[in-house]
Each structure stands twice: as structure tokens, then as C-alpha cells.
Amino acid sequence: MATAPPAVNRDRRLVLLGWLLAALALALMATVPLSVSGGVNERPGVRAGYPVSEWLAHAVIVGVLVGSGAWLTQLRPRNVIGWILLASGVLQGIQTGFDAYGIRAVTDPDRSLPLARTTEWIAQWTWIPALLVVVTVLPIIYPTGRPTSLFWRRHLRITVGGLVCLVAGAALAMGGGNDSVDGAPVAFRAPLWLVVPLAGVGVAVTAAATAVTLVGTVVRTVRAASPERQQLAMLVGIVALMVPTAFLSQPIFGFVYAAVPLAVAIGVLRYNLLGIEVVVRRTLLYVPLTLLVALVVGLTTATLARLVPDGPLPLVVASALVAVLIFPVSGLLRRMVDRLVLGERADPLEQVAGVGAGVSEPMDDPVTSMLTAVAAATGATYAAVLDDAGTPTAELGDRSGQPHTVALRHGHHLLGSLLIGPRPAERRVSGADARLVDALAPHLAMVVWSVRLTEALDEERDRVTRATLEERDRLRRDLHDGLGPSLSGIALGLEAASHALARDPEGAATILARTRDEADSAVREIRRVIDGLRPRVLDERGLTGAVRETASGLGLGRPGGIRFALHATPLPDLPPQVEEAAFRIVAEGMTNVVRHSSARHCTVLLSCTGSCLELGIEDDGTGLSDGGRRGHGLDSMQRRAVALGGRLVVSARAPHGTHVNAVLPWGAA
């Protein structure tokens, strides 16, 4: 039989301990009605009894504290926050249960109940750590359960030390007094030399630490990112609500105080539960506005009542002041609250500007940098750019929840899609974040399009560079292997002819004849090398313009010469090798027309059908001679077409003339 790992067993024991502590606190609260039954609250000397309303208020506070704490220890047994809430609830239960029992015991006429002085003494000071630990320690470790930096770790030690001194001083001081019953017997008397230093140090350190904790929590809220900002904002909102209710009745304050552990538990487990973000924003907005209205009305009416004791003038003036102040103050306060709770989401234009600033920085991967900026603006846990085949080209974070998908388009081109995941602890992308992503998607599409153009340009540049180097090597080989030996032979022949000219004129003539043949061979070799170069006119005027200019150079279309017509459909951007081969074939065909055909008309056709370039050269000349040998020009045209996977057909044209047709595939070139 398999046994659970030690860590699992330890977590189970922690969970059981948490629920036992919660049950203990609730059991202590259940003893209160029994302790005060029989009119104990009305006994002589009882100053602070426990009527039903007060007992219910205490029960709600203790129930929420221990319930939230036990819930947290159930789900996060190693998170200290749940244990702090449990400890606070248990201490509150001890204070209330012991106090009720102590009141009954010390006021009992026969003094028969045991531990009267001890329980009443414990009840006098246990409320201090129960209340202060939530205010001073909890914000330091909220929401992760541990301090976030070295400063906060040191501050936590100082805070705990101050609380220990304060509680110890209060416990010693309460041994000689009783706040619940007049004339209660003294438990013990501690020396002043011990009580005063402990209490003084405890009060000073705890007060300073509390101020630093509260101010630091506000600063953390302003600087934090989502979702920690919203988690801290919930705590700040509840504390802000506690301030005005502290001056109201105790039950109202008790219910507000009970909201602290509830907000903490929600923040630790899932901060956006029940739309708590909206509640926090409204709390932080309307509580200060309510205080402002009450303060303005109170001060105005109190001041004017001295001058005009009768009539509605004080109230009318106060109402006018409120009407004048409420709109500008509410607008300013709303912006401050949105900035506190929402952070960068409060101003979408600022988010867009932040994205633009991030993209303007030098970067190695623009798409990933832009994606990072978009994810930061929306607080997304996951972001990805997919190409048109659905393959991720850039990806951040781990995919969770339901992402928001936006198509990336540039003009009529579908480049792919953008996926943005929800914020932490959310299941789907909010409407505001979705609208922001929709606004940023065209900018990201432009970046993707630019990257693709850059990659295509780099590939084309590399191809041109390779072609240039290959052409340079070819020229070097051709000049070295072909033209070099020919020129050397010409030089040697001329030298030999010069020596033989005086002694053997006939031999010199023979040498000169051979040298002339060698020179003709060198000229042909130079023409072959030049013929292998890409014509410059193609780069300057394109295929159609190059054909027209070559025809003009051959005399086609001149007055009194061969009439020329060029019919060309709009041509796409052809690969360089296809364009060059097409030009060479047409140029050779027109040259043959001028030299050999004795034609009166010549027509050139250029068109693209599908992924093929079709060429046609027609003339009305003498045509092909029957049984005649094909020239080198036609063979060269044939080789160029076959080298590209195409074909070339030379046929007779009725009633006379020649038709040359070539088909060159270019789609896969």
C-alpha cells in the first residue's frame, strides 16, 4: 500500500490544526451567552458587559477571521497569512470568552468560580495583539505570505519586536487593573521600572512601524503591477473605510473590520472574485467624497449658525459650497483612484505611448520586442504571434485561460494572428484589454510586415552577392583559360613573324595567317565572355524597354528599314535569370531577322500565362532553308530555354517567314 509523501502528511496536519483552532475560537464565542446569562450584565460594578448586539458583533468578527484563516490554511497551508488571521481570531475569541467568564466570576457573590482573576487579566490585553497584528504585520507579507525585499524583512523583525514589547508591557500593566468591572480584585502588581520601559519602547516602535507599514503599502500599491496592485488596493480600500467608521458605533466598525480578513482571503486566492475591483474603486472614491461633504456642511453650518442662528441660510450656503467643490474634487479623486487601482490601465493613451517607446529602442528581434510591449501594456500572462499557417513565430509566457485572438493584416495580406492571454488570476481577457489589443494589432502587423520585407531583402542581397561572386569567378576562369592563352599565342606568333620576315617571307606570311586566326579566336572568346554578362539595359529599363532599345539599335523600325512591332502584356517581377534568358533569346531572334531573313516586318510578343513567360518572334522573310544547318544562334537560344526547364520551337510561318516561340517557367525560379 502506497504511503503519502512526508510533505503531504505535514500539509494535512496543518489543515487539521487550522480547523481545530477555528473550532476553538467559535467554541469560546459560544460560551459568552452562558457566561452573561442570569442578568450578569446588570450586576453592580459591571461597566462593559455583553448584550446581544455587542456579542453578535464580536461573533461576526471572530467568525470571519477564523473562517477566512481556516479557508486559507486549507488551500495554502504554507502561507503565513492564513495563520495570522487564525491567530487574530483565536485571540479575539479568548478575549471575548474569557472576559465574559471573568465578569461573571469576579462579580459572583459566593466567588465559587475558579480562575476568576486569571481569565479576567488575560481578557484585558489579548485584544491588543489580535487587532495590531492585522494592521501592522499583515500588510508587510501580503499577498504572498513573505516580505518582498530585504527592507521589508528587516522592518518585519522590528515590527514584531515592538509588538512583543507593547503586549508584554500591557499584560504587566493590566495585572493591577480591570476595564470591565469596578473594584475587581487585582491579579498581581508589576514594578513600574519594568512596565514603563517595556510599554514605552513598545508604543514608540509600534507606532513608527505602523506608520511605515501603512505608507509603504500605499507606495507598493502605486508601484506594483497587476494583479498585485489590485490585491493591495483591496486592503487599502478596506482600511480607508475603517477610518470614518471608527468614529461611529462599535457594531458598524466591527462589520467593517470583519471585511479585512475577507478581502485578504479573496486577494490571496483570486483578487477579481465578485467584481471586487469595482468595489474597491467605488469605496476609495465615495468614502473621501462623503467625508468632504460632511466636513464642508458641518463647518459651514457651524460657522454661519453663530452669525445667523435662524433661517435656512447656513444650509443653503453649505449646499452651494458642496455643489461648487464636488465636481472638480470628484474628477481629481477619480483619476487618482483609477491610477492607484488600475495603474497603467487607467490611461490607454499612455499604454500606447509606452508601447511606441519600447519599439523605438534598438532591438535584435522587433516582433518579440513589440509583443513584449503589448503584453506589458495589457498585463497578459501569455502572448504569441502566429504566422498564416498557425505556427508560433514569437511566444511569451505559458498559455492559460481563454486568449483573445486578433488577425494581423497589412493591406490585403493576412500575415497571421496575435494571441493575448488574460491577466493573472483571470480566466479571460477583459473588454478594456481586448480593445487595447485591437488598437495595437495594426502596429504589430506593420512590424511583422517590415521584418518579412527585411528578411526578403536580406535573402535577395545574399543572392545578388553570391551571383556577383560567381560571375566574377566565371570571368576570371574564362579570361585565364580562354583569352589568356590566345593573347599569348598572338604575341609569340608576332614575334616569330618579325624574326622570319627578313629570312623567309613566305614563312612569315604563314605565321601571320595563323596569328590572325588566333586573333579571330580571341575576339570570339571576348564576345563569348561579354555575352555571358547581364546586360545593363535590363537593370535600367526592364525587359520590355530593353527589347525596344535593342530593336532600335539593330535598325528595326527605322524609315526605309524593317517595320517593327512589340506587343507586351504587363509583366510581373521576373527572376533575374529568367529575365536575362528571355532578353538573350529575343535579341538573338531579332539579330537573325536583320542579318538573314530579308524580311519587311518583324513582330515580338511578350506575355505571362500562369507561371510561365511566353516569347514570340515573327518575320515575313525568306524563312528556314530546307535541309539547311541550324546556326549557332538558334542553338544558343535553345540551350537558354532548356536550362530554365522551358522549351523553344522554331517553325515556318505561312505563306513565308519564320516563327520562334519560347516558353520559360518563372514561378519556381
Side-chain angles (χ1 to χ4, degrees):
M1 181 176 180
T3 58
V8 175
N9 290 329
R10 185 163 56 251
D11 289 347
R12 290 174 179 174
R13 289 194 293 268
L14 290 175
V15 171
L16 179 60
L17 177 61
W19 287 111
L20 289 177
L21 290 175
L24 173 62
L26 295 177
L28 288 171
M29 291 303 301
T31 63
V32 173
L34 297 177
S35 297
V36 299
S37 61
V40 172
N41 291 326
E42 288 76 26
R43 287 181 179 178
V46 176
R47 291 185 295 179
Y50 286 95
V52 175
S53 60
E54 186 171 346
W55 172 71
L56 287 176
H58 281 264
V60 169
I61 294 175
V62 172
V64 174
L65 281 170
V66 297
S68 302
W71 184 29
L72 282 177
T73 56
Q74 170 79 31
L75 301 176
R76 307 281 194 275
R78 300 179 186 277
N79 193 317
V80 183
I81 293 178
W83 297 103
I84 289 179
L85 295 179
L86 268 174
S88 179
V90 171
L91 289 174
Q92 290 280 13
I94 291 174
Q95 188 273 330
T96 306
F98 280 26
D99 192 29
Y101 174 80
I103 292 174
R104 185 181 190 96
V106 299
T107 59
D108 196 26
D110 57 5
R111 306 294 176 94
S112 60
L113 296 177
L115 301 176
R117 298 181 182 181
T118 302
T119 54
E120 190 61 27
W121 168 69
I122 294 175
Q124 298 304 305
W125 56 268
T126 46
W127 65 271
I128 298 176
L131 179 62
L132 292 182
V133 72
V134 175
V135 178
T136 59
V137 175
L138 189 59
I140 299 176
I141 61 175
Y142 181 76
T144 61
R146 55 184 179 274
T148 57
S149 65
L150 178 61
F151 168 79
W152 287 111
R153 286 196 292 271
R154 292 175 177 175
H155 179 65
L156 178 61
R157 298 190 189 101
I158 295 173
T159 302
V160 172
L163 281 176
V164 170
C165 292
L166 178 61
V167 173
L172 293 176
M174 292 299 177
N178 194 311
D179 293 335
S180 300
V181 180
D182 291 330
V186 176
F188 60 86
R189 294 187 182 275
L192 292 179
W193 61 264
L194 181 59
V195 174
V196 173
L198 281 175
V201 171
V203 170
V205 173
T206 302
T210 302
V212 172
T213 298
L214 296 178
V215 173
T217 302
V218 175
V219 173
R220 284 175 58 202
T221 305
V222 174
R223 295 180 177 177
S226 178
E228 185 179 355
R229 177 189 292 270
Q230 285 74 23
Q231 292 170 317
L232 291 170
M234 281 192 294
L235 191 60
V236 172
I238 298 299
V239 172
L241 190 61
M242 287 175 60
V243 173
T245 57
F247 301 98
L248 302 177
S249 63
Q250 186 174 355
I252 296 178
F253 175 77
F255 281 107
V256 176
Y257 174 59
V260 173
L262 185 61
V264 167
I266 293 175
V268 171
L269 297 176
R270 187 179 175 197
Y271 81 88
N272 64 338
L273 188 64
L274 301 177
I276 195 68
E277 186 176 279
V278 177
V279 176
V280 172
R281 292 172 63 190
R282 292 181 177 178
T283 300
L284 293 177
L285 176 63
Y286 292 121
V287 168
L289 285 179
T290 302
L291 293 176
L292 176 64
V293 171
L295 184 62
V296 170
V297 172
L299 291 177
T300 304
T301 55
T303 302
L304 294 180
R306 297 176 178 272
L307 302 176
V308 186
D310 298 326
L313 181 61
L315 186 58
V316 171
V317 174
S319 301
L321 287 176
V322 169
V324 171
L325 293 176
I326 193 68
F327 291 105
V329 173
S330 63
L332 176 62
L333 188 60
R334 185 184 299 276
R335 290 191 294 272
M336 293 174 61
V337 169
D338 287 344
R339 171 61 61 180
L340 177 65
V341 177
L342 301 178
E344 69 279 358
R345 286 190 292 163
D347 189 356
L349 292 179
E350 184 176 341
Q351 293 177 277
V352 175
V355 172
V359 174
S360 63
E361 297 295 329
M363 62 193 76
D364 296 329
D365 188 353
V367 175
T368 302
S369 299
M370 180 70 174
L371 185 64
T372 302
V374 173
T378 58
T381 56
Y382 172 79
V385 173
L386 309 182
D387 60 16
D388 48 6
T391 303
T393 58
E395 196 169 14
L396 302 172
D398 298 324
R399 184 165 181 173
S400 62
Q402 182 178 350
H404 177 66
T405 304
V406 184
L408 296 178
R409 297 181 179 274
H410 181 75
H412 299 291
H413 300 278
L414 177 61
L415 307 179
S417 57
L418 167 65
L419 270 65
I420 292 293
R423 292 176 178 266
E426 296 185 4
R427 295 182 179 177
R428 58 177 54 89
V429 178
S430 65
D433 288 339
R435 290 191 296 272
L436 180 60
V437 172
D438 294 341
L440 295 176
H443 303 282
L444 180 58
M446 181 66 70
V447 173
V448 173
W449 178 255
S450 301
V451 168
R452 292 190 180 181
L453 289 181
T454 302
E455 292 175 350
L457 180 61
D458 291 341
E459 292 178 359
E460 184 64 18
R461 183 180 60 208
D462 293 341
R463 188 195 64 79
V464 171
T465 301
R466 290 193 302 270
T468 302
L469 294 176
E470 292 173 359
E471 186 72 5
R472 183 182 300 172
D473 292 339
R474 187 187 68 82
L475 288 174
R476 184 183 296 110
R477 290 193 306 270
D478 290 348
L479 292 175
H480 179 272
D481 299 339
L483 189 59
S486 297
L487 294 178
S488 298
I490 292 173
L492 293 174
L494 291 175
E495 184 178 358
S498 65
H499 290 307
L501 186 62
R503 300 190 306 272
D504 185 9
E506 294 182 0
T510 302
I511 294 174
L512 288 176
R514 288 201 306 267
T515 303
R516 181 179 178 180
D517 293 339
E518 190 71 25
D520 290 340
S521 176
V523 170
R524 288 193 299 270
E525 182 67 18
I526 290 175
R527 287 178 177 174
R528 185 187 67 80
V529 173
I530 293 175
D531 189 59
L533 298 177
R534 177 179 170 85
R536 186 175 62 182
V537 68
L538 275 178
D539 296 326
E540 294 176 350
R541 304 191 59 182
L543 179 58
T544 303
V547 169
R548 195 180 301 278
E549 184 171 318
T550 302
S552 177
L554 292 173
L556 294 173
R558 291 180 183 177
I562 301 175
R563 295 182 180 180
F564 176 74
L566 173 62
H567 302 289
T569 62
L571 302 178
D573 293 334
L574 298 171
Q577 60 269 35
V578 175
E579 191 177 46
E580 182 179 347
F583 172 74
R584 296 292 188 189
I585 292 172
V586 173
E588 185 67 30
M590 292 189 300
T591 302
N592 290 337
V593 170
V594 172
R595 290 182 178 178
H596 308 298
S597 68
S598 301
R600 291 181 297 173
H601 298 85
C602 176
T603 303
V604 175
L605 306 173
L606 300 176
S607 64
C608 269
T609 57
S611 60
C612 292
L613 174 65
E614 186 170 355
L615 313 173
I617 306 104
E618 297 179 350
D619 67 79
D620 57 354
T622 58
L624 298 172
S625 58
D626 295 336
R629 186 174 61 88
R630 290 169 60 98
H632 294 292
L634 290 178
D635 290 339
S636 175
M637 295 163 65
Q638 183 76 36
R639 287 195 303 269
R640 292 183 185 277
V642 173
L644 293 175
R647 67 181 185 275
L648 184 138
V649 178
V650 181
S651 58
R653 181 174 178 268
H656 52 80
T658 305
H659 177 74
V660 178
N661 178 260
V663 177
L664 307 178
W666 66 271

